[in-house]
Amino acid sequence: MISGRTRLLALIGQPVGHSLSPAMHNAAFAADGLDFVYVCLDVESDALPDAVKGAVALKLRGFNVTMPHKRAMIPLVDELDEGARISGAVNTVVIEGSILRGYNTDGGGMVMACEEAGIELSGQRVLILGAGGAAAAIAVAFGGVGVGELHIANRNLEHAMELRDKLRRAGLRKVEVYTLDALEEAIIKAKVVVNATPLGMQEEDALPIPAGYVGGGRAICDAVYLPGTETPLVRLARERGARVAAGDRMLLYQGVLAQRLWTGREANAKAMNDAIS
Ligand code: NAP
């Protein structure tokens, strides 16, 4: 029930019509009787600053940010958590009066997806494919749970080196970078492989790692999700009996973490999961 006191939350992006986030968040609010409602707002890039000012003026409790605005949010908030600062991408904003706090819950979402899948991270050697916003957020969060070594393989080596340097400055000492030419060397050493490239979003995409290296005691994490189905990487990893943290689980748990920031209480993850399953 929407009341006169209902607090508004939103997803700001473009496009947003396909998003599962309203179903996911509103299911938890309904299940727990919380007086919040979550809607999607389609915002053009050049209107983002005005939209953010409007959100403050309208006293929204906060909002999520998705493509293409995650990076553009950085200068529009007053404070950043470490994941947002290092990744240069904000996916969650909490509004406290006129103060906007920017967070990145994507990395924490992947950590929770790994915990659920029984994927051990502490002390492990992890290979992350990609060096963009999701890769950086995952690297920061994995650092926070005591990953042993982080190896980053990226198409553009300079982007990987920039991320490595930021992570080292943040205190993560054991970070190495690889070009995609040296991918096999990096995979062989890894216990956990994370796909944080968009490979898998399109039918015709190649697997992010050669098929021969999927499985073999190596856990697979895939940030990519395909509504209603599995990515080819996740499907192959499951067929080979590997532990898997799939992108839809990361999506669920980044939402759980965002909701915790807005409401100050544990989110109803079961209701959220039922809504998107
Ligand atoms: P991004 O910032 O644009 O970074 C993309 C990264 O992938 C870059 O390192 C890029 O390499 C690399 N890349 C792009 N195309 C490639 C290709 N064809 N082959 C090899 N590498 C390629 O994107 P992002 O925000 O990190 O998102 C990455 C993926 O994660 C997307 O599919 C996104 O939907 C997904 N994601 C999922 C969740 C979730 O909740 N499940 C959350 C966030 C993101 P260069 O540096 O060489 O350009």
Side-chain angles (χ1 to χ4, degrees):
M1 285 292 286
I2 293 180
S3 74
R5 294 192 180 78
T6 302
R7 298 294 305 273
L8 187 59
L9 293 160
L11 173 66
I12 291 181
Q14 192 176 60
V16 285
H18 65 287
S19 174
L20 297 175
S21 291
M24 181 169 83
H25 287 292
N26 290 322
F29 299 146
D32 285 2
L34 298 179
D35 203 2
F36 288 92
V37 68
Y38 186 108
V39 298
C40 281
L41 301 176
D42 187 296
V43 173
E44 310 273 345
S45 290
D46 58 5
L48 184 65
D50 285 344
V52 171
K53 276 188 208 144
V56 175
L58 293 167
K59 298 192 175 66
L60 267 70
R61 174 61 184 135
F63 52 92
N64 281 135
V65 188
T66 188
M67 302 295 281
H69 304 319
K70 284 183 173 187
R71 288 185 188 281
M73 270 310 299
I74 291 281
L76 301 179
V77 297
D78 299 291
E79 295 171 16
L80 290 169
D81 78 346
E82 191 173 58
R85 184 176 57 78
I86 293 179
S87 65
V90 169
N91 83 329
T92 302
V93 174
V94 177
I95 303 176
E96 305 274 6
S98 61
I99 302 294
L100 287 101
R101 301 203 166 91
Y103 298 84
N104 191 312
T105 65
D106 288 336
M110 183 58 98
V111 167
M112 289 174 76
C114 286
E115 282 167 2
E116 176 185 61
I119 297 173
E120 179 69 37
L121 294 171
S122 174
Q124 299 297 328
R125 192 177 289 187
V126 174
L127 169 64
I128 299 182
L129 307 164
I138 291 168
V140 171
F142 279 21
V145 294
V147 75
E149 285 182 33
L150 270 180
H151 293 191
I152 300 166
N154 197 44
R155 194 171 60 172
N156 179 320
L157 188 63
E158 274 182 27
H159 293 168
M161 287 162 68
E162 281 167 24
L163 175 57
R164 175 196 63 193
D165 295 346
K166 285 187 199 167
L167 292 168
R168 285 186 178 164
R169 281 198 293 277
L172 257 170
R173 294 275 159 245
K174 293 187 174 168
V175 187
E176 304 297 334
V177 295
Y178 295 81
T179 60
L180 295 186
D181 296 340
L183 190 56
E184 295 192 13
E185 182 195 338
I187 300 170
I188 289 164
K189 294 179 184 166
K191 279 282 174 209
V192 180
V193 175
V194 182
N195 175 38
T197 75
L199 288 173
M201 292 183 81
Q202 308 295 331
E203 278 283 317
E204 62 277 12
D205 283 348
L207 283 175
I209 59 173
Y213 292 104
V214 179
R218 229 169 266 118
I220 294 287
C221 306
D222 197 350
V224 174
Y225 63 92
L226 299 174
T229 185
E230 291 185 318
T231 63
L233 175 65
V234 162
R235 205 174 306 125
L236 184 60
R238 288 201 203 284
E239 278 167 20
R240 296 197 176 157
R243 289 187 193 272
V244 173
D248 56 342
R249 308 314 288 168
M250 176 181 172
L251 177 75
L252 168 68
Y253 289 116
Q254 64 75 30
V256 164
L257 292 172
Q259 216 182 97
R260 198 187 280 169
L261 291 167
W262 295 320
T263 67
R265 50 176 277 170
E266 207 50 56
N268 188 327
K270 181 179 179 315
M272 294 169 81
N273 185 38
D274 290 348
I276 61 171
S277 294

